Amino acid sequence: NAVQTVVYAEYSQQTNRVILWQRCRKASLWLLGYAILAGAVLFIIAPFLLKWFYGQEFLEALPILRILVWGIAPFSVTMTISAYFSGTHRVRISLYASLIGFLVCLILDLVLIPLHGITGAAYASVFSYLASTIYFIIQFLLDKKRIAGVD
C-alpha cells in the first residue's frame, strides 16, 4: 500500500497518458518480479519464520501460507495498476476489481470450505486475487489501445 500511495502521487501529476502508461507498466513489472522473488523466498523459509515468530504449533499453518503465496505475489501488481487508474480519475475500475474478487471468493468459499475446510478457503482466496489481478491487467492493456489514438 505504501508503494501504491507513492505511485498514485506521481501518476496523478502526469499529464501525458502514454508516458504514464509506460511508467506504470515498468513499475508493475518490477514490482511483480520482486513479489515473485519474495514469494519464492517466503515459500522456502516459511517453516523457519513461523517457528521462530510463533512457535512450533504454528507450523500447521505452513501449507495454507504456501497456498496463499500463489495469489499474493501476482496480486501485488495490482498496487501500481490501481494507482494508475486512481491517478487518472477512474477509481471505478478498482471498485469493479474488488467486486469481482469478492464474488469469486464468496462463491468459491461456499463451495470449497464445506469440502476442504481451511485449505478450500485458501484456494478461494488465491482464485479471488487472481480474478482481480486478471481484470486489472485486462483493463490496463485495453487502456493502452484507448490512449494510442489520443496522443
Side-chain angles (χ1 to χ4, degrees), residues 44-97:
I44 294 167
I45 67 169
F48 309 107
L49 289 177
L50 283 173
K51 187 175 179 182
W52 187 53
F53 279 114
Y54 303 110
Q56 185 72 28
E57 314 75 58
F58 276 80
L59 285 177
E60 293 178 25
L62 180 62
I64 303 307
L65 177 65
R66 285 184 164 163
I67 292 168
L68 290 172
V69 166
W70 290 101
I72 294 169
F75 186 72
S76 67
V77 76
T78 66
M79 294 303 124
T80 52
I81 296 174
S82 175
Y84 168 83
F85 285 119
S86 295
T88 56
H89 311 292
R90 292 173 291 163
V91 180
R92 72 182 184 288
I93 292 174
S94 296
L95 173 65
Y96 297 153

Side-chain angles (χ1 to χ4, degrees), residues 2-131:
V3 170
Q4 185 178 25
T5 302
V6 171
V7 172
Y8 168 76
E10 179 186 336
Y11 289 176
S12 62
Q13 296 174 7
Q14 177 60 254
T15 57
N16 185 319
R17 299 270 306 267
V18 174
I19 291 173
L20 178 59
W21 192 92
Q22 291 170 342
R23 284 186 181 168
C24 182
R25 180 183 175 275
K26 184 177 181 180
S28 298
L29 291 173
W30 275 102
L31 186 58
L32 179 61
Y34 288 134
I36 289 172
L37 179 63
V41 169
L42 179 63
F43 195 89
I44 294 167
I45 67 169
F48 309 107
L49 289 177
L50 283 173
K51 187 175 179 182
W52 187 53
F53 279 114
Y54 303 110
Q56 185 72 28
E57 314 75 58
F58 276 80
L59 285 177
E60 293 178 25
L62 180 62
I64 303 307
L65 177 65
R66 285 184 164 163
I67 292 168
L68 290 172
V69 166
W70 290 101
I72 294 169
F75 186 72
S76 67
V77 76
T78 66
M79 294 303 124
T80 52
I81 296 174
S82 175
Y84 168 83
F85 285 119
S86 295
T88 56
H89 311 292
R90 292 173 291 163
V91 180
R92 72 182 184 288
I93 292 174
S94 296
L95 173 65
Y96 297 153
S98 296
L99 287 173
I100 289 168
F102 170 74
L103 290 173
V104 168
C105 194
L106 179 65
I107 292 166
L108 290 178
D109 277 344
L110 291 172
V111 172
L112 296 177
I113 290 175
L115 297 173
H116 303 289
I118 193 169
T119 303
Y123 279 112
S125 294
V126 167
F127 287 115
S128 168
Y129 301 152
L130 292 175

